[in-house]
Amino acid sequence: MSGAMSLSTVPTAADAGLPGDLVETVGMAVHASGDGTAFLNAAGFASALCDADGVIRLADERFTQWAMAGEGAQLDRLPPMRGGRVSLLCAPDGRTVAAAVASPASAGAWPLAEALKLRTGPGLYPVIICTPLAAIDPARSAFAQALGLTGLEARIVGGLMRSGDLRVAAKQGGVTYETARAATKAAMRKAGVHRQGALIGLCVTLQSGEPAEREALLPVLGELFGISARQAEIALLVAQGSSRDEAAEAIGASEHVIKAELKSVFTAMQVATVAALAIRISEVSILSRMVSATSMETVPAGAVEPLRLIPRIGRAGRIAVVDHGPRDAMPVLILHTATTSRHNPASFIRTLQAGGLRPIALDRPGFGLSGMVSGDYLAESAQDLADILDTLGLERACILARGGTMVLARFAERWSERIERAVVVNPEPPPDADRKRGGLLGAIKGLVYGQPWLTGRLASYLSRNASAAIVERLVTRSLEASEADLAVLRDPEICAAYVRASQHSALQGGAGFRAVATTEPFASVPAIGDGRMITIVCGAQDPLYSAADSLPRLQAAWPGCSVVIVPDGGRLVHFQKPELIARLLGDGDAQFRLRNGCGAA
């Protein structure tokens, strides 16, 4: 296998070019190996066992629904003595599907069926494929739920994923080609993409898990299918939604060359359409990520969040939104910090709901599953909030900014009439006013303030090494000066949710982190005429920022805003005092603050 798939090629933090004092302070000079944690949907995979010759001997129920899983199915590359690899599983008639195979010791965290785990041992090796599309009910699929597809749209997209041909999908769905084409276009609008290949690739990812990064995937494609580096690059560009013209421009070749190379790619990969190409590359990508990961985290049974991906209005890309409901309650958009994402503890969500609220958490641009934006990052982030409200048919909403204070400020500047109430939790001060510079967080802030371009290296390192254990260690280390926060993190549910949010923040290689680090600390706060709908909540034990440093410019820009100082509150005061947050968003009763031992400033 290529070096990109090696289990010993990931650099340490020092190798990544991070400043030595920061490496020492953060404690990242560990000799990590592999590509960090892969995030998978266990239901998105089927599993089997093969013998030392690569012949399938045992398989789970989902695996047997692969039409070629019977006697004679064999891997084109034998299982490795150690580690894992992506191979092609071949049927006697020559058809193939991508499969991951490894030694039992290396596949301990793979989503293998329990019955098969008991049979692994000398001479039998775990084999994983993406769940055969024949085994998926499109109407109940993860991609249909996430994209909000209608029954017809889900049926046509499912048929397109099975066959790779829209005409075949139309026939299987019992509709005309024009109807199927219209349904596919509607699905693409909901997904925020413009081409079938990009839609299919996204659906496979939503169904199974996190894909590999481009640099790791390209050599795998070359080795698996015997194509050149340029052909692999073209295949990936087209599969991800580029037109032939766009692919030609990207690699500096003519459209004639692209067409010729694609013809060779289609032959090598045994596909006839761009949709089929997207399926094949997406499956190879997800399996490659799984093989190269040092650890895996799968979605627990019954813990699937009500995720929805909505397209930006008049702009490229999509926004990942989790609408917890209920639909008839007051909506509250939840913004996250630069190092977390849309995930929140279930207990926190339940408390907001009990307070008459409809929590709607989102990934900010470049975080989690929300696409990155171009241009003014803060303005585009504020536009995301407006797009969410418009898509959900909401005139007004509350906003909870547990990060993203500047996004709220930009939104309030333009759409203050759409804010019912807003709560800002532990806002950040401008760099020149920030007097808390000690410890781990002080070292990171010094990097962000003084050398923001280096945050890309930090984000990239964390995105490749963000195992739950490492993230939990960093979180605990960063908050060790606050007993209030350490007490919160002793709750296993809250700690797990916070760690998950931190891990998912890096899914796009830290693109969002870099954008926030180079914009928010240096942005000014636009003034609004009336700030009475905004309440600022500060934990007196926040180890990151001091209210005395943060409040002056916000109070000047938001005349009439309220301030609540929680004496025993820390950085995670919203998780400590969820009832307070719910009440402030629900009716803003000042007496509630006093009854709960909070001081108003």
Side-chain angles (χ1 to χ4, degrees):
M1 210 60 186
S2 69
M5 295 294 293
S6 169
L7 293 179
S8 60
T9 58
V10 174
T12 66
D15 295 332
L18 294 171
D21 56 345
L22 178 63
V23 170
E24 181 179 357
T25 303
V26 176
M28 293 192 303
V30 293
H31 295 285
S33 62
D35 286 336
T37 299
F39 300 92
L40 307 173
N41 173 14
F45 298 90
S47 55
L49 298 177
C50 72
D51 61 22
D53 294 322
V55 178
I56 299 299
R57 295 302 181 189
L58 297 168
D60 66 20
E61 183 178 354
R62 285 197 296 264
F63 198 101
T64 59
Q65 295 188 54
W66 175 49
M68 302 170 279
E71 185 176 352
Q74 181 170 5
L75 294 166
D76 72 333
R77 290 166 176 79
L78 298 181
M81 293 297 294
R82 56 183 298 182
R85 65 161 54 101
V86 178
S87 300
L88 291 178
L89 186 57
C90 309
D93 64 4
R95 291 177 295 168
T96 60
V97 67
V101 59
S103 64
S106 300
W110 286 14
L112 196 67
E114 290 298 325
L116 296 182
K117 287 182 181 179
L118 300 175
R119 302 293 297 273
T120 57
L124 288 177
Y125 301 85
V127 177
I128 298 291
I129 63 173
C130 292
T131 297
L133 297 170
I136 298 172
D137 177 0
R140 298 183 178 182
S141 63
F143 63 80
Q145 294 176 17
L147 299 177
L149 302 183
T150 66
L152 173 62
E153 292 163 358
R155 191 163 74 248
I156 296 303
V157 171
L160 182 59
M161 292 172 69
R162 284 192 295 271
S163 66
D165 189 312
L166 187 57
R167 293 188 183 277
V168 174
K171 185 176 181 179
Q172 292 176 344
V175 299
T176 66
Y177 173 73
E178 289 303 321
T179 298
R181 191 163 174 261
T184 304
K185 285 186 175 181
M188 288 192 291
R189 284 194 298 271
K190 292 179 178 180
V193 300
H194 301 290
R195 301 188 185 279
Q196 286 184 16
L199 172 65
I200 296 306
L202 175 61
C203 288
V204 173
T205 295
L206 291 171
Q207 196 66 36
S208 298
E210 180 187 2
E213 293 186 4
R214 173 184 171 279
E215 291 75 12
L217 177 59
L218 289 174
V220 178
L221 293 175
E223 181 174 349
L224 272 185
F225 301 106
I227 59 179
S228 69
R230 182 167 74 169
Q231 288 171 336
E233 177 85 20
I234 293 170
L236 185 57
L237 286 168
V238 172
Q240 292 178 337
S242 294
S243 66
R244 286 163 175 76
D245 286 344
E246 291 166 341
E249 182 179 355
I251 69 167
S254 68
E255 187 178 355
H256 175 75
V257 168
I258 297 298
K259 289 181 178 179
E261 296 284 40
L262 274 179
K263 184 177 181 180
S264 298
V265 166
F266 277 31
T267 299
M269 292 193 179
Q270 296 181 319
V271 298
T273 66
V274 170
L277 176 69
I279 293 169
R280 173 137 306 195
I281 288 181
S282 295
E283 291 181 342
V284 171
S285 182
I286 292 166
L287 294 171
S288 297
R289 183 73 185 92
M290 185 175 74
V291 166
S292 66
T294 52
S295 63
M296 258 148 284
E297 294 192 13
T298 56
V299 177
V304 178
E305 60 187 1
L307 173 66
R308 181 176 175 185
L309 302 183
I310 64 174
R312 293 187 171 110
I313 300 174
R315 301 176 296 150
R318 61 180 179 270
I319 312 165
V321 173
V322 179
D323 186 351
H324 292 279
R327 290 185 176 273
D328 59 351
M330 171 60 68
V332 52
L333 303 181
I334 304 177
L335 295 171
H336 60 77
T337 66
T339 55
T340 55
S341 59
R342 67 182 183 271
H343 303 292
N344 287 277
S347 58
F348 180 67
I349 295 300
R350 287 194 301 268
T351 301
L352 296 183
Q353 291 170 327
L357 298 168
R358 173 186 174 181
I360 303 173
L362 61 131
D363 280 333
R364 295 166 62 187
F367 289 86
L369 292 175
S370 286
M372 191 53 178
V373 292
S374 58
D376 186 329
Y377 183 77
L378 297 178
E380 292 291 314
S381 298
Q383 184 67 56
D384 274 3
L385 304 188
D387 286 358
I388 293 171
L389 295 183
D390 291 342
T391 300
L392 299 181
L394 302 171
E395 288 295 325
R396 296 166 64 85
C398 295
I399 297 177
L400 171 59
R402 60 186 187 95
T405 303
M406 293 302 144
V407 177
L408 168 62
R410 290 290 191 93
F411 187 83
E413 177 188 29
R414 186 171 177 185
W415 294 287
S416 62
E417 75 282 358
R418 303 193 72 172
I419 301 176
E420 187 69 28
R421 279 175 291 277
V423 169
V424 179
V425 177
N426 286 324
E428 61 277 12
D432 57 2
D434 188 3
R435 291 173 292 182
K436 281 198 171 183
R437 299 294 186 94
L440 165 62
L441 295 177
I444 294 177
K445 285 196 286 185
L447 174 67
V448 172
Y449 295 160
Q451 304 175 77
W453 56 90
L454 285 179
T455 58
R457 297 180 185 175
L458 175 60
S460 179
Y461 177 84
L462 292 175
S463 72
R464 293 195 307 271
N465 296 277
S467 69
I470 289 176
V471 171
E472 184 173 350
R473 186 180 71 189
L474 291 177
V475 168
T476 302
R477 177 88 180 274
S478 65
L479 299 177
E480 62 186 359
S482 169
E483 177 54 37
D485 290 311
L486 294 181
V488 168
L489 293 174
R490 292 188 190 108
D491 183 320
E493 180 199 273
I494 293 178
C495 185
Y498 196 75
V499 167
R500 184 185 182 202
S502 300
Q503 290 177 296
H504 278 234
S505 72
L507 286 185
Q508 298 184 49
F513 181 90
R514 290 193 295 272
V516 171
T518 54
T519 57
E520 290 198 358
F522 314 102
S524 59
V525 184
I528 59 176
D530 185 354
R532 286 178 294 175
M533 75 286 201
I534 302 175
T535 301
I536 305 170
V537 177
C538 297
Q541 296 184 32
D542 178 8
L544 185 55
Y545 300 120
S546 167
D549 298 338
S550 302
L551 291 176
R553 66 168 178 165
L554 297 180
Q555 290 175 306
W558 299 336
C561 68
S562 300
V563 174
V564 174
I565 305 296
V566 183
D568 61 345
R571 183 72 192 153
L572 306 178
V573 65
H574 53 299
F575 294 156
Q576 286 178 274
K577 308 285 185 180
E579 294 86 0
L580 170 63
I581 302 299
R583 187 61 178 271
L584 291 173
L585 289 168
D587 63 15
D589 182 1
Q591 292 303 311
F592 177 83
R593 309 166 196 164
L594 299 178
R595 288 197 300 270
N596 284 270
C598 304

